Amino acid sequence: MKSTALTEIHKQLGAKIVPFAGYDMPVSYTGVNEEHETVRQHLGVFDVSHMGEFFIEGKEALQLIQKITSNDASTLIDGQAQYTCMPNQTGGIVDDLIIYKFHDEKFMMVVNASNIEKDWKWVNLHNTFDAIATNLSDEYSLLAIQGPKALEAMQSISPLDLSAIKFYHFAVGEFGGAQDVIISATGYTGSGGFEIYFKNKDAELIWTAVLDAGKDFGIKPIGLAARDTLRLEMGMCLYGNDIDETTSPIEAKLGWITKFTKDFINAEALKAEKENGPSKKLVAFELEDKGIPRHGYAIVDEEGHDIGHVTSGTMSPSLKKAIGMGYVKTKHSKFGTSIYIQIRKKTIKATIVKPPFYKA
């Protein structure tokens, strides 16, 4: 297993370390519910350095990105980020990712940790352009500083005006005593904050500065377990659970990042699917009775006919109720529809709702 530049610090802090996407990662420190509420109410910091960073540079960097991703990166201005996905050639998704535009000839792709090797091969397979792709995943660390107190707490360790960084925009500069840090107003929690990219050599310096700056704001280190409950409350997809090589962006209700104003891999087939309607859709649901939905559990209709399966589920720490997401046949996907989750030998009623579950 690989380690991040901060793994030893997590161990010293008493974190529970588990294998994840080829890395030893902190899954929790003091408990999922407590860490979850810390992010919702105050401020938390996640080490997510296992994520991958590819830099795409050159005269035709944009053309490469336009070819392999579904969203329209030509609309980006310098210093702006964009959520997108890379469709495969059979109707599914290679990965979902964020694109960062530095200028016309320099972009960064941030990809999921479990897909780094696969994504890197995919990028190179389709790089027939005047563009140079560089995989710097092993050289960069990433901290997600999330929560309503993030801006107030972190301003003290950067000369940049952090309040000027709009949602899904970024700046590059000094942060926590280090130079050339990418400070991005993005996140995976729905509670605001920043994601900070920097070279591994600066990891301990920045980690210490972040915790010191957040001390008076209730900051705590947060593990991957709470990251998952936080993103699920917001109805955000997790690759490998809610989307994968067999699910299309149309089925996953990611049509908003699938722009047919340009040509990209499998665009024609996805456009036809959008026009004709998919056979299944990803839905969000809340359980009406006791039980916790888990990945892979069957979803049935009132007569007990199989209509789909659960992709993600948990007991929501914020809402104190069981929530989940899953694919169902399109005719059963309307808001307010009753569906039934098979949990062990019981069939538990649930209602399809409009995400996000948690309204900030």
Side-chain angles (χ1 to χ4, degrees):
M1 303 301 294
K2 292 183 178 180
S3 296
T4 76
L6 296 167
T7 298
E8 289 306 313
I9 288 179
H10 300 313
K11 291 179 180 178
Q12 292 168 17
L13 291 171
K16 180 182 178 182
I17 305 293
V18 300
F20 182 82
Y23 285 80
D24 283 330
M25 296 297 294
V27 68
S28 65
Y29 296 83
T30 57
V32 177
N33 289 349
E34 181 181 330
E35 292 171 32
H36 181 109
E37 286 306 308
T38 293
V39 175
R40 284 281 181 252
Q41 304 300 327
H42 304 289
L43 181 61
V45 56
F46 306 77
D47 178 12
V48 282
S49 303
H50 58 322
M51 300 290 282
E53 293 85 15
F54 304 160
F55 286 83
I56 312 295
E57 301 176 79
K59 292 181 179 179
E60 295 185 47
L62 176 60
Q63 285 92 318
L64 172 57
I65 287 169
Q66 289 288 74
K67 183 67 176 179
I68 61 177
T69 64
S70 64
N71 211 335
D72 188 356
S74 70
T75 64
L76 293 174
I77 62 171
D78 295 356
Q80 188 176 10
Q82 182 184 74
Y83 179 58
T84 187
C85 75
M86 291 192 289
N88 62 24
Q89 291 160 324
T90 56
I93 298 172
V94 177
D95 202 3
D96 65 329
L97 64 148
I98 298 179
I99 298 287
Y100 292 78
K101 181 183 180 182
F102 293 85
H103 53 73
D104 287 345
E105 296 188 12
K106 182 178 180 181
F107 297 79
M108 178 173 72
M109 301 171 62
V110 179
V111 303
N112 285 299
S114 57
N115 292 335
I116 291 174
E117 185 177 345
K118 178 184 72 169
D119 290 355
W120 181 237
K121 288 179 180 178
W122 187 258
V123 170
N124 284 285
L125 175 65
H126 296 284
N127 187 8
T128 57
F129 301 89
D130 183 7
I132 298 172
T134 310
N135 181 0
L136 296 183
S137 303
D138 289 338
E139 296 182 22
Y140 271 82
S141 293
L142 169 59
L143 295 182
I145 305 163
Q146 299 283 291
K149 302 294 185 182
L151 172 60
E152 189 178 0
M154 293 303 112
Q155 186 59 77
S156 65
I157 56 172
S158 178
L160 299 176
D161 180 4
L162 301 185
S163 67
I165 305 176
K166 299 177 183 177
F167 186 54
Y168 263 75
H169 287 69
F170 67 97
V172 181
E174 182 182 340
F175 185 90
Q179 303 297 322
D180 300 318
V181 178
I182 301 168
I183 307 163
S184 171
T186 51
Y188 196 47
T189 67
S191 283
F194 301 97
E195 291 183 308
I196 312 296
Y197 302 83
F198 48 89
K199 292 295 184 69
N200 291 339
K201 64 180 179 63
D202 295 321
E204 292 192 25
L205 174 69
I206 290 179
W207 175 265
T208 300
V210 166
L211 286 181
D212 286 347
K215 192 177 298 181
D216 292 338
F217 299 88
I219 196 170
K220 292 180 182 178
I222 312 294
L224 294 182
R227 181 175 167 86
D228 190 51
T229 56
L230 288 158
R231 70 90 194 170
L232 182 50
E233 285 187 347
M234 301 310 298
M236 295 177 180
C237 291
L238 173 64
Y239 194 91
N241 279 44
D242 312 300
I243 52 176
D244 57 32
E245 294 276 359
T246 69
T247 58
S248 82
I250 307 303
E251 294 171 338
K253 293 187 178 178
L254 295 176
W256 63 279
I257 63 165
T258 310
K259 304 296 174 58
F260 300 109
T261 53
K262 61 160 198 169
D263 182 39
F264 60 90
I265 292 170
N266 209 36
E268 191 173 329
L270 292 175
K271 185 177 182 181
E273 182 181 27
K274 184 175 183 178
E275 291 172 349
N276 298 326
S279 61
K280 63 181 180 181
K281 287 185 179 180
L282 184 66
V283 298
F285 59 84
E286 296 179 353
L287 264 62
E288 302 296 331
D289 298 308
K290 289 183 178 180
I292 300 177
R294 300 296 187 193
H295 178 79
Y297 284 6
I299 302 176
V300 299
D301 63 14
E302 195 169 7
E303 287 75 40
H305 301 129
D306 185 76
I307 60 169
H309 66 279
V310 175
T311 56
S312 291
T314 193
M315 175 60 71
S316 164
S318 299
L319 306 177
K320 304 296 188 287
K321 64 171 67 173
I323 61 174
M325 297 198 299
Y327 285 93
V328 298
K329 293 178 181 179
T330 299
K331 67 178 182 179
H332 298 280
S333 65
K334 291 182 181 179
F335 299 138
T337 300
S338 293
I339 57 175
Y340 299 83
I341 316 300
Q342 290 191 333
I343 302 177
R344 298 184 181 88
K345 295 181 180 180
K346 294 183 178 181
T347 303
I348 308 297
K349 186 178 181 179
T351 302
I352 294 177
V353 298
K354 185 177 182 178
F357 298 99
Y358 175 79
K359 310 295 192 294

